[in-house]
Amino acid sequence: MPYKDPKCPAAIESQRRRNKKHKEKYKEKYKAKDALRKEYFKNYCKNSPNHYKLRTIHNWKRRGIVDTDYEALFEYYLNCNECMICLNRFDKRINKHLDHDHITGEPRFILCRSCNCSLMSSN
């Protein structure tokens, strides 16, 4: 067979043509799936009243935070309005962070972004 050698220019060109052909086919297939996924997210997740809660708890679990009652921890997280170290009030939700021990996974503090970063750099 002439295309057994992978360094053969004809084999390389043949592979490129095949990839280009399949790329167009898969592009159309995934475009339709992506549209369905976006529609689902827009209709279900964004309109769900507890979407923020579910997403936040999921992210905590994914980052290794271990707790017996995530519901109570989330309520405490929502009701905390100031950093536990510098006592600055949270002006935006993005500045609020749940600090945890990276070895045990136990939550420690609810901090602002700058205090959380300074604790991480000191460890």
Side-chain angles (χ1 to χ4, degrees):
M1 292 180 94
Y3 299 123
K4 279 289 188 185
D5 183 17
K7 295 182 181 178
C8 175
I12 294 171
E13 186 59 35
S14 174
Q15 185 65 37
R16 283 186 185 147
R17 280 194 307 261
R18 210 172 315 125
N19 288 346
K20 187 175 181 181
K21 178 181 166 186
H22 290 295
K23 181 179 179 181
E24 296 301 321
K25 183 173 98 174
Y26 286 118
K27 191 175 185 181
E28 291 299 319
K29 179 181 173 183
Y30 289 119
K31 193 175 190 180
K33 281 188 176 184
D34 195 40
L36 287 173
R37 185 188 58 78
K38 284 180 182 177
E39 189 68 28
Y40 169 79
F41 182 76
K42 186 171 77 174
N43 290 335
Y44 176 72
C45 294
K46 286 290 186 179
N47 295 331
S48 174
N50 59 356
H51 171 68
Y52 174 66
K53 175 180 167 182
L54 295 175
R55 187 184 64 194
T56 304
I57 291 174
H58 171 74
N59 286 337
W60 287 346
K61 289 178 182 178
R62 193 177 55 141
R63 290 185 178 111
I65 296 174
V66 178
D67 195 45
T68 56
D69 189 10
Y70 286 102
E71 304 285 328
L73 180 64
F74 184 75
E75 289 301 318
Y76 181 70
Y77 175 79
L78 278 184
N79 294 330
C80 186
N81 294 324
E82 60 184 26
C83 177
M84 294 179 165
I85 293 179
C86 67
L87 302 178
N88 285 336
R89 293 190 64 76
F90 298 119
D91 53 350
K92 295 180 183 175
R93 187 167 45 177
I94 195 167
N95 290 334
K96 191 187 292 190
H97 296 275
L98 179 67
D99 182 48
H100 68 285
D101 185 0
H102 288 253
I103 296 171
T104 63
E106 294 286 325
R108 294 186 290 206
F109 307 111
I110 297 175
L111 305 175
C112 65
R113 179 180 283 176
S114 60
C115 289
N116 191 33
C117 290
S118 66
L119 275 181
M120 287 186 63
S121 64
S122 67
N123 289 339

